[in-house]
Amino acid sequence: MDHEYLTNAREALARRDAAGTLMWAKKYLDIHPGDIGAAKMAGRAVDTDKPAEAAAILRRAVEHNSEPSARAALICELLPYVERCERIKRGLPPDHVLDMAEFPFHFSDSEIAALRSICSHLKPDDPARLSLGPAIAFVLGA
């Protein structure tokens, strides 16, 4: 039954039905809170003016996932939402920097520290190094 929720979320996503995608992905996450695919779908389906909701969904998935490569992927997905929330709180434009000192992520120190820690524990032959390597290098400022 629970896999039906994930299937329904994917079908809603294919139809560009954000509300349906969010509903079904959340139902799946209620059963499998650390699922990377469902968390990404749910986060992306949240209205762009509600970055805190997307961040909460992704943070919960990070907390419920013990796999380092999955946690790294979820944190990479989480960062833009955290940054957007922090920029809104400070009265800054949510989607672009005003100064290159803010680039790429100026207000996400704890998430970047967590990502740095996770990456230091990834095995050299972990597929995440290949698939996430460029994104992680960018986030960490390399």
Side-chain angles (χ1 to χ4, degrees):
M1 175 81 166
D2 55 329
H3 291 293
E4 189 175 305
Y5 296 155
L6 195 57
T7 300
N8 290 345
R10 286 184 183 128
E11 289 172 358
L13 181 65
R15 292 190 311 270
R16 298 179 192 253
D17 173 7
T21 302
L22 183 59
M23 179 189 70
W24 289 111
K26 279 184 167 181
K27 285 181 182 260
Y28 190 79
L29 287 168
D30 286 342
I31 300 165
H32 304 280
D35 186 83
I36 187 171
K40 283 183 169 185
M41 277 192 285
R44 292 175 185 178
V46 172
D47 291 341
T48 57
D49 63 340
K50 297 179 182 176
E53 183 180 347
I57 290 166
L58 290 159
R59 276 195 176 107
R60 181 172 181 249
V62 170
E63 291 169 7
H64 285 88
N65 199 310
S66 60
E67 177 61 39
S69 58
R71 289 175 59 88
L74 287 164
I75 291 171
C76 285
E77 187 79 15
L78 169 63
L79 277 165
Y81 298 107
V82 170
E83 192 73 11
R84 191 172 292 134
C85 289
E86 293 301 317
R87 294 185 67 76
I88 290 168
K89 282 182 196 175
R90 290 166 171 81
L92 297 169
D95 296 319
H96 69 276
V97 299
L98 298 176
D99 183 321
M100 287 308 287
E102 299 172 0
F103 184 78
F105 299 103
H106 189 67
F107 303 109
S108 306
D109 292 341
S110 64
E111 290 79 12
I112 291 172
L115 183 60
R116 185 173 279 117
S117 175
I118 290 167
C119 290
S120 71
H121 293 96
L122 286 178
K123 295 177 183 174
D125 61 343
D126 190 315
R129 287 207 180 267
L130 180 59
S131 63
L132 292 174
I136 291 170
F138 174 75
V139 168
L140 297 179

